[in-house]
Structures are given as structure tokens and as C-alpha cells.
């Protein structure tokens, strides 16, 4: 499986293995184990990482945001034993989305000054591309956004 196929599947299903928005943090850490903490904050929200996968967790211990960084030379994900080549082209991502039957559209809010966004309406998955002055646009990141959740009030 190529990275573009995997990300098209994530965009279609809004899941990367046990990781998805609204997932219980206990369920996420049960599979690949404890992640590294990206920000040194003891107060929520807290950002954790597994290779190139970043997960934002709120006070209620639910996943609120999922991001796969793809701007690196290789992309490592906890759901796969091998690394993928990073920085796929926009054409390769679009082809993978089309092959998987995953409708997408240009996201005007994330398209400006050297950057272009594509969104999958069904899941709100967002692909952000770096658009160089010359050459092909390259995928910078893919994410599953927060769905507007608000943690219950602390007691």
C-alpha cells in the first residue's frame, strides 16, 4: 500500500486504525502504546505524537484532532511497520482519492499564498499542499478536524 492510498482510506472513513476524532484516549493508547508528548503542558488540550501522526486530546480524554505530517522525507505511522516516502504530489493524492471513490473539493479557506487545501465533504478530512513557485504541489499534511465537541464541565 502506498501513502496516498492509505490517506485516501483515512479521508473516506475518518479513521486510522483505532485513531479517530471522538476516540477514547485509552482505546488509542491500548494499540501502539504510549506516545511522545509534543507540547510540555500538563493542562489540556495535550498534543501527542506517534511518528508522523499527531493527536490532540482534550480534558475529557477524547481525541479531538488527528494530523498526519507528510512534509518529511519519510512518513512513519503506528498502524504500519514500514515507513512511506513523504511529500506525495497533489496529482498522486487526487488520483488516489478518485480511485477510492472519495469525493473531494478545493477548500478556499486553506488556499492562499503558496498553499492549497482539498477537503473531503463527507468526513471534513483536509489535505494541505505546499505550492512552490516551480514544480508540483506537494502534500504537507492531512488532518481530521475537531467536530465542535465541548468537554463536560469539570466537577
Amino acid at each position: 500500500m502506498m501513502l496516498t492510498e492509505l490517506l485516501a482510506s483515512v479521508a473516506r472513513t475518518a479513521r486510522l486504525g483505532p485513531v479517530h476524532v471522538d476516540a477514547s484516549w485509552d482505546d488509542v493508547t491500548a494499540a501502539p502504546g504510549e506516545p511522545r508528548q509534543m507540547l510540555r503542558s500538563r493542562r489540556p488540550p495535550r498534543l501527542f505524537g506517534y511518528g508522523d501522526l499527531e493527536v490532540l486530546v482534550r480534558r475529557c480524554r477524547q481525541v479531538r484532532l488527528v494530523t498526519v505530517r507528510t512534509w518529511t522525507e519519510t512518513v512513519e505511522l503506528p498502524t504500519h511497520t514500514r515507513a512511506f516516502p513523504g511529500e506525495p504530489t497533489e496529482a498522486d493524492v487526487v488520483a488516489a482519492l478518485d480511485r477510492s471513490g472519495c469525493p473531494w473539493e478545493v477548500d478556499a479557506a486553506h488556499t492562499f499564498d503558496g498553499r492549497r487545501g482539498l477537503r473531503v465533504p463527507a468526513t471534513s478530512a483536509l489535505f494541505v499542499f505546499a505550492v512552490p513557485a516551480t514544480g508540483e504541489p506537494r502534500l504537507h499534511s492531512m488532518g481530521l478536524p475537531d467536530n465542535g465537541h465541548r468537554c463536560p464541565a469539570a466537577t
Side-chain angles (χ1 to χ4, degrees):
M1 175 179 279
M2 296 176 55
L3 178 61
T4 53
E5 294 168 334
L6 174 63
L7 295 179
S9 174
V10 173
R12 194 178 67 256
T13 64
R15 292 177 169 269
L16 179 61
V19 181
H20 59 91
V21 172
D22 291 333
S24 158
W25 186 233
D26 293 334
D27 291 345
V28 170
T29 58
E34 287 298 317
R36 72 183 185 288
Q37 189 168 345
M38 306 289 289
L39 300 174
R40 297 290 174 214
S41 172
R42 291 180 182 225
R43 294 178 35 191
R46 296 173 70 190
L47 185 64
F48 296 97
Y50 290 102
D52 291 294
L53 173 68
E54 294 180 351
V55 180
L56 184 77
V57 179
R58 294 276 175 111
R59 178 176 35 84
C60 62
R61 297 184 54 80
Q62 282 189 333
V63 173
R64 303 310 331 142
L65 180 73
V66 178
T67 304
V68 177
R69 300 177 308 184
T70 59
W71 69 81
T72 55
E73 188 173 316
T74 59
V75 176
E76 296 180 16
L77 299 170
T79 54
H80 290 76
T81 56
R82 68 174 180 85
F84 298 94
E87 297 187 299
T89 66
E90 180 179 24
D92 289 341
V93 171
V94 166
L97 289 168
D98 290 345
R99 278 192 307 274
S100 73
C102 187
W104 57 272
E105 59 190 27
V106 173
D107 185 314
H110 290 92
T111 300
F112 56 88
D113 296 336
R115 188 169 133 162
R116 180 169 29 250
L118 301 180
R119 180 172 302 280
V120 173
T123 61
S124 296
L126 177 65
F127 293 83
V128 177
F129 298 87
V131 181
T134 60
E136 294 184 77
R138 298 283 180 166
L139 186 61
H140 185 266
S141 63
M142 183 267 183
L144 301 171
D146 188 334
N147 59 9
H149 167 84
R150 298 292 174 251
C151 295
T155 56

